[in-house]
Structures are given as C-alpha cells and as structure tokens.
C-alpha cells in the first residue's frame, strides 16, 4: 500500500517537539478560513450520497420489521410486484445485516434477518422506477412474522445484566477499596444518575447508491465516516474481497457516530442492484434512521465520591448499567473520562450490559464522556455543596498531575487553567447561592463542569501532489462530516508548501485513494492532518534538494521557493510534478502518556418558577486541545458540541413502548434536538497549547470535547437557580415543578 521511496512514514514512538507548522511562514495555519467546500455546498454542486448522477438508476425503499422480536415467516412479494413502476421485491435473509456496523470494525456486523431482534430491523427492499412507487409498494408489502419474547423495558431487564467484553475502556476496573474509603471519609456522595437513549439525528439520512461494475466489483456511494473500514465490512457482508469494493463518501451531512460503520441500506442496495442488474439507490426515511441505525445507550450511573474535609477525593466510584441487543459486544464506555480526570486513591469504574431488543447501541458523539461526565460532574457539584466549597476550587483541588491509574504523565493538560480562565470570563464571582438570584418570575443560576475527551491517533495516509503550475492536490480516504477536514488539510499543506490555500485542491472520501481512518473519535484532524504534514515534509525535502539547499535553509512562501540567495516559483522546480505519501501510525507515545483534551463549561440558566421551563441564557466553553488548526472551524465544532449538551440536558430522549420496543418519537418533530430558540449566544475560548506527544502537528481532538461536560454544567446551573436537583435526564419541567419554591 505504501510505495517505497515516495512514502514518509512516522510511528509516534517519541515526542515530536519540532513542527514545521511553527517554522513555516505562509501564515495559513490557525487562521479562521472559511470552508473551502462551502461554496459547493451552498450552491448545491457538492454531491451527497443520494445525489450522484447514475444512469439507469432504480429506487429502493426499505422495509422494517413490525414486531419487536420473533421470526420472519414470509414476504408476499407477488402482492405488490404488479403495482405500477415496481421492479422487484428483494431480500436475502442470510446476508442482509441485522444491525449497523460499529466504527472501525473490519469484520461485518451481525448478518441474517430471519430472526427479528428489534422493531424496525430491515428485512427487505422494494425496488421501483421511482421513489414514490417503491415507497407505496413497501408500505403495502405483506410480511408475516411469528412473534417471540423480547425484552424492551430497562427496568424489567436489568436483573439480566452481564459483564461485557472490554471495549475502548475496561468493562470493570477496580483500584483500592471504594467501600472502605466511603465508610471512612467525613464527606461522601452516593447518588444515581440516569440518562436516556439518544439518536445522533444527523441532518442527512443514511443513503447508498450501489453500482456493480462489469468486472464484478462494487462502487457504493454512501454517507460513511470511515470508508476504508466500511468497505471491508461491506465486502465481507457480500462475500467479496475488500479490493472489489470501492466506497465514495465525499460529503456527509453529519454523522455524529451514526455513520461510523455501514448501515443496512448499503447491503440492501448492493444485493438489490445485483439482482435486478441495475444500479439501486436506497435512502432511509427519517423514521428508519431512528429505528434501524444506531442509538446511544441509556445509562444508569451510581456515582460515589469520598472526600476529606478540605475536598481531597479519596474515592471515586462510577458503576454503570448500559444496554444493547443480546449478543452485541459494544457497551457505552460511560467511565472513560472518569479514569483520568481526577486524582483519588480508590477507584471503581464498571459497566454492566442489560440486553434489550432495541436498535443497536453504538457510538454517538463522545461515546462515554458525553454521558459519563453528566453523572460525575453533577456529583462533583453535589459534593462541593456538601463541603461548603466552591465547585471550581473542588475541581482544581483534584486536578490530577499524572494519570491517577497508570501513573504516566499527561501529554498536555490544561484543566485548571481552563477553569480559572472561564471563571474570569464568565463572571463566576457574581454567582449567588442556590435559589438566591431572581429576575422577575425567573430563578437564575450558574453552573460549571469540567470537560475531558480522550485523544486518539489512528493510522492514516494521504497523498500530496505538486504540479508544474504551482498547484497541489491532496487525496485520501479521510472524510469531512461537516467538521472542516477539507479546509484544515488544505491549510496544513498551504503552510508547509508555501502555497496560498486557493492553490490547493482536496479530494476526500474515496477508498481508491490512500487509506485513512476517516472521521470518528475526534481523531480526524490529528491523524489525517499528520499524514498530510508528512507528505508535505517529504515534498519540502525534495524542493530543497532541487534548490541545492539544506532543508533548514529553504523558505517557501506565496508560491516561491527561497534559499541560497535565490528564489524561484515552486512550480518551476518540481519538474513534471512531485508526489509523496504521508503515513502516520500510533506508537509508544500512546502508552507513555495519557492523552486527552480538556476544558471547562459554564452555563447560566433561568428556571421559570411558574411553569418550570428552563432557558439557557448563556454558555461559555474554555477549551485546550493542542494547536488550533482553524480558529473558525474549531470554534464551530465546540459550538456544535455545546448545543448537543443543551439537548442532552433539556430535551433529547428516545422513548420506546415497553410492550414491543416501538420507538414512539422516531422523527425530528418528536425527538427534540435544540432549535435556534433553545440556543443562546454561546461563547468559545481556546487556550494556547501544543501537544508534542500527540502527533507532529501538535493538535488534539476537538470535535467531541464541546459536548463532554456541557449538560452537567446546565444541570448544575439549574440546581443553583432553583435548589432542585434532578438526576434523571433530560431535565424537563415536570421533574422540576414539584420542587420549585412557592411564588
Ligand atoms: Mo464519533 S461517535 O466516533 O463519530
């Protein structure tokens, strides 16, 4: 894969203190460039998965099971086959996938749809000459089932919980003796927090166009975050070698984890296209996105904290129950941030899985921290009150100087600095005691929470080509899910090669290009960005050689190469053109340091003491995530994360009928994500930081940092406003009303 001689490969075994992004002089890096893909998106020329012009296209509409558990008995295709425009009813009870794939998996998701594991499981696809004809027939298709026993209610199924295999974090971790520390400590908290199932609710529904080529290979235009591993999943589902599957995913209308692995429409479209001998497009209806892709698991978290009178934590316990389908390994890694954020000798962090016949649970934006920080950071607020201590002081008192479990240093960590800077900017000193601040019929409160999100580096590569006309092209299977990947990759190349950003073309999301890990886990910028960096570093070396100067004596700026008292347009010294592939992979630094981005959330809310309505009045996030590559796109990521936090705190909750698992709020009218009126002016401030252990661009993940802790800051502000502590999320007005003070 990585051609000898033209590849610059780096394994992060050592710190990388020098970065060309500091010595280069183009001035592109960090600047708030508008998205280079913006004009094509707003003018409608950017092709999303369902928008590729393909000849002879047939339209598919998916059919989801209408029982919660049991067996599929028959599909009466003849009943609809003669309807106008209908081409065929296609199914494959062995190869259709029962659930979506998990992110980064190269093995296929669970296949086979004879067994119905949840309501909405995709069992067939109706193909027609138009979307409307396919939908009409799909809705009329008679399917018979034999209903079986299913578990749909968490409360009833919890007794069947079991210890799942370890995931990105251990299922069970124990250090010291939390029980003993709780018994000895003068001040303790023992509280249980509940968070509901959620849906990523990306704007673009899952969609695939499957095109079989004459040589028996498959091209799939899809909306997928990780095309390289997705192609492997899809190939294995279809019994093809990975080389026979190409996924093209150039633009993605949001993913938030729901598009990390393949979803059922991809396999259905591919099988249908093969069967009818025409390309097939399958776009999920919104209800199918909710019912048949992936949810974030609900959680129940027992959080125990033990502290000395001066606020030193002696024990941290976070014991979680989460849920997934029987036989699925993924568990919501609730405690992943708890492992590293605060010091404290005795630690118990566990996850037990409750089997439920509901749609697959998988990764949704900041899997783990997004919900785990709700329990932990609300408990910290409760502890601060019990101690009579400022919640910021409590957090700073327990800011860990080394990883409290592994004993290794942090690669970079600015938690206390973020708390202090946030307090100053937010006016924390003006915070009143619980229930003391009023504005007419509104009770006003302020809350704080720490933010943490683990930083990951994933093996990635990218090709950069320099042309005689002084332009450059970047190509990689990296994706842009709306985060700004196109733009930051162009900025990195611009900076190092000394070319204006508008001379750089970026081609992403095609598995024919060098493989990258794609977008997930906030690793995209650091991983694909480093691959681009390494390719450009190699090209820079080649330019220096062509100029006959030492690398260190070469300056590249505004399309000119300057060195040895000579200057020349870069295009003129590249000959017929130059190319290099950059390749990064994680190494010893991953274990030698604990890597995470940190920050602090501040929220001010009003609670209406007549109606119990909560309004977020303002929020501030102060974040440190290594080098900020683009001030605008980075800020936008944090704004998005904080907005997710408002949803998690106040509105978002998937509701399942306990009799059959039917998802009753399966669209954007009934599943309430925050709308404009729910989101006040949000402020984001970045602390300057460099992380030499993370990667050569010194940047850490940012896409998920903004959500981690945000909901807790809001819940803590609600308590400060009205003295009502709600531990069951979302904090809706019915939960507040009984406790509100009399008028
Ligand atoms: Mo993220 S939940 O890894 O897209």
């Amino acid at each position: 894969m990585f051609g000898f001689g033209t590849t610059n490969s780096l394994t992060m075994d050592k710190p990388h203190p020098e970065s060309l992004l500091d010595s280069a002089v183009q001035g592109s890096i960090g600047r708030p460039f508008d998205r280079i893909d913006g004009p094509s998106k707003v003018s409608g020329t950017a092709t999303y998965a369902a928008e590729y012009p393909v000849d002879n296209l047939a339209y598919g509409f998916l059919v989801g099971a209408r029982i919660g558990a049991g067996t599929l008995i028959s599909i009466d295709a003849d009943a609809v086959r003669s309807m106008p425009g209908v081409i065929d009813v296609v199914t494959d009870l062995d190869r259709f996938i029962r659930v979506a794939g998990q992110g980064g998996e190269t093995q296929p998701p669970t296949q086979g749809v004879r067994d119905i594991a949840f309501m909405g499981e995709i069992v067939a696809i109706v193909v027609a000459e138009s979307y409307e004809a396919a939908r009409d027939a799909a809705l009329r298709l008679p399917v018979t089932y034999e209903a079986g026993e299913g578990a749909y209610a968490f409360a009833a199924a919890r007794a069947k919980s079991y210890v799942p295999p370890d995931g990105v974090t251990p299922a069970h971790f124990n250090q010291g003796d939390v029980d003993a520390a709780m018994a000895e400590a003068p001040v303790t908290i023992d509280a249980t927090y509940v968070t509901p199932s959620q849906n990523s609710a990306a704007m673009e529904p899952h969609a695939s166009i499957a095109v079989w080529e004459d040589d028996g290979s498959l091209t799939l235009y899809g909306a997928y975050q990780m095309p390289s591993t997705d192609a492997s999943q899809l190939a294995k589902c279809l019994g093809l070698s990975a080389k026979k599957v190409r996924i093209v995913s150039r633009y993605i209308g949001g993913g938030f984890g729901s598009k990390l692995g393949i979803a059922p429409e991809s396999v259905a479209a591919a099988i249908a296209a093969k069967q009818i001998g025409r390309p097939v497009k399958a776009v999920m209806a919104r209800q199918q996105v909710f019912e048949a892709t992936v949810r974030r698991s609900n959680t129940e978290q027992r959080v125990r904290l033990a502290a000395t009178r001066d606020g030193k934590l002696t024990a941290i316990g976070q014991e979680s129950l989460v849920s997934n389908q029987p036989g699925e390994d993924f568990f919501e890694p609730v405690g992943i941030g708890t492992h590293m954020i605060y010091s404290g000798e005795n630690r118990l962090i566990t996850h037990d899985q409750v089997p439920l016949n509901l749609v697959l649970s998988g990764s949704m934006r900041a899997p783990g921290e997004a919900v785990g920080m709700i329990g932990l950071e609300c408990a910290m607020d409760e502890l601060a009150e019990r101690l009579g201590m400022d919640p910021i002081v409590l957090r700073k008192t327990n800011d860990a100087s080394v990883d409290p479990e592994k004993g290794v240093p942090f690669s970079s960590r600015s938690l206390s600095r973020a708390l202090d800077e946030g307090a100053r900017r937010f006016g924390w000193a003006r915070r009143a005691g619980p229930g003391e601040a009023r504005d007419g019929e509104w009770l006003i409160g302020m809350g704080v929470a720490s933010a943490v999100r683990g930083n990951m580096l994933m093996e990635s590569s990218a090709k950069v080509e320099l042309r005689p006309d002084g332009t450059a092209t970047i190509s990689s299977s990296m994706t842009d899910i709306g985060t700004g990947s196109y733009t930051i990759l162009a900025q990195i190349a611009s900076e190092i090669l000394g070319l204006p950003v508008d001379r750089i073309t970026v081609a992403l999301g095609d598995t024919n290009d060098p493989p990258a890990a794609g977008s997930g886990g906030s690793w995209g910028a650091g991983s694909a960005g480093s691959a681009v960096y390494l390719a450009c570093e190699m090209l820079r070396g080649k330019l220096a050689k062509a100029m006959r100067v030492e690398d260190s004596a070469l300056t590249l700026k505004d399309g000119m190469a300057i060195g040895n008292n000579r200057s020349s347009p870069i295009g003129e010294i590249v000959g017929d053109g130059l190319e290099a592939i950059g390749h990064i992979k994680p190494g010893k630094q991953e274990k030698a340091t604990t890597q995470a981005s940190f920050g602090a959330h501040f929220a001010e809310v009003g609670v209406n003491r007549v109606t119990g309505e909560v309004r977020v009045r303002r929020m501030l996030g102060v974040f440190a995530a290594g080098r900020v590559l683009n001030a605008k796109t980075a800020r936008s990521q944090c704004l998005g994360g904080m907005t997710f936090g408002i949803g998690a705190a106040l509105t978002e909750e998937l509701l399942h009928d306990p009799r059959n698992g039917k998802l009753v709020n399966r669209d954007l009218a009934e599943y309430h994500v925050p709308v404009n009126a729910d989101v006040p002016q949000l402020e984001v401030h970045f602390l300057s930081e460099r992380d030499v252990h993370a990667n050569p661009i010194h940047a850490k993940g940012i896409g998920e940092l903004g959500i981690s802790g945000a909901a807790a800051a809001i819940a803590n502000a609600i308590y400060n406003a009205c003295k009502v502590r709600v531990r069951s999320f979302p904090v809706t007005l019915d939960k507040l009303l009984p406790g509100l003070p009399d008028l």
Side-chain angles (χ1 to χ4, degrees), residues 225 255-258 260 363-367 453 481 519-523 704:
Q225 296 176 226
F256 313 115
S258 73
L260 286 168
S363 294
M364 176 171 149
R365 197 174 198 167
R453 171 64 185 164
I481 59 173
S519 303
S522 302
W523 64 61
E704 295 164 316

Side-chain angles (χ1 to χ4, degrees), residues 290-375:
F290 275 84
E291 282 192 338
T293 61
V294 66
R295 71 184 161 102
R296 189 205 294 282
S297 172
N298 60 312
T299 75
E300 184 181 296
Q301 312 167 26
R302 181 187 184 193
V303 181
R304 288 186 290 168
L305 300 174
T308 62
R309 291 227 176 271
D310 56 3
K312 268 276 177 208
L313 287 170
T314 55
I316 302 176
Q318 188 172 35
E319 295 156 89
S320 298
L321 279 177
V322 296
S323 66
N324 207 347
Q325 274 184 33
E328 295 296 332
D329 285 346
F330 175 91
F331 67 87
E332 177 71 28
V334 178
I336 196 167
T338 307
H339 283 293
M340 61 179 139
I341 187 150
Y342 299 124
S343 55
E345 262 308 292
N346 303 288
R347 312 172 76 88
L348 177 64
I349 300 168
T350 64
H351 308 79
D352 289 276
Q353 187 91 281
V354 176
L356 283 181
N357 292 100
L358 302 178
V359 64
L360 181 79
S361 74
S363 294
M364 176 171 149
R365 197 174 198 167
E369 292 96 331
V371 282
M373 294 294 284
I374 292 179

Side-chain angles (χ1 to χ4, degrees), residues 76-94:
D76 184 6
D78 290 340
V80 300
R81 219 177 244 131
S82 57
M83 286 177 65
V86 171
I87 299 167
D88 208 347
V89 177
V90 177
T91 190
D92 185 325
L93 299 182
D94 297 316

Side-chain angles (χ1 to χ4, degrees), residues 9 112 255:
S9 196

Side-chain angles (χ1 to χ4, degrees), residues 605-629:
V605 304
V607 179
N608 189 293
R609 66 182 161 137
V610 180
T611 65
E613 177 188 5
V614 176
R615 288 273 145 198
V616 178
R617 292 159 67 109
R618 60 194 181 101
M619 282 179 89
L620 164 68
V622 178
F623 303 111
R627 187 194 309 273
V628 170
L629 300 167

